[in-house]
Amino acid sequence: MPRRYEIDDAFKQAIKINAKGRRTITTEDFVAELAKRNWHWGLREANHWIEIYVNTFHDVSTVEGDARTFALFNPNGGR
């Protein structure tokens, strides 16, 4: 049985940190982490959740569609 708190945990586990320290997350990675926790969401539903519940990441996708990439927002001028 899926539990609500597992969504937040799946989001945190899907975050990747590159060599420069930039934190990003893709919708595909988020959905894969959710599936490990018995949450079966599509890309559109995962994007909707990110847009509603996560205000520290912004969309940096380079292509159209539901396979999106989000990056941690840095209010100090860094992107």
Side-chain angles (χ1 to χ4, degrees), residues 34-47:
L34 286 168
K36 292 178 187 176
R37 292 158 177 81
N38 204 27
W39 285 90
H40 303 289
W41 284 5
L43 295 177
R44 185 168 289 172
E45 189 173 9
N47 284 328

Side-chain angles (χ1 to χ4, degrees), residues 9-79:
D9 187 48
F11 183 82
K12 292 174 187 172
Q13 292 299 312
I15 295 172
K16 304 286 189 261
I17 304 172
N18 71 9
K20 292 183 179 182
R22 185 177 190 193
R23 288 169 166 74
T24 60
I25 183 170
T26 64
T27 308
E28 293 97 339
D29 291 341
F30 181 38
V31 169
E33 287 294 328
L34 286 168
K36 292 178 187 176
R37 292 158 177 81
N38 204 27
W39 285 90
H40 303 289
W41 284 5
L43 295 177
R44 185 168 289 172
E45 189 173 9
N47 284 328
H48 182 72
W49 186 89
I50 293 170
E51 291 167 353
I52 298 292
Y53 293 103
V54 182
N55 60 6
T56 54
F57 280 74
H58 65 281
D59 189 357
V60 295
S61 303
T62 57
V63 295
E64 293 291 322
D66 289 331
R68 295 168 58 187
T69 302
F70 296 87
L72 183 64
F73 176 71
N74 183 348
N76 298 321
R79 280 192 165 226

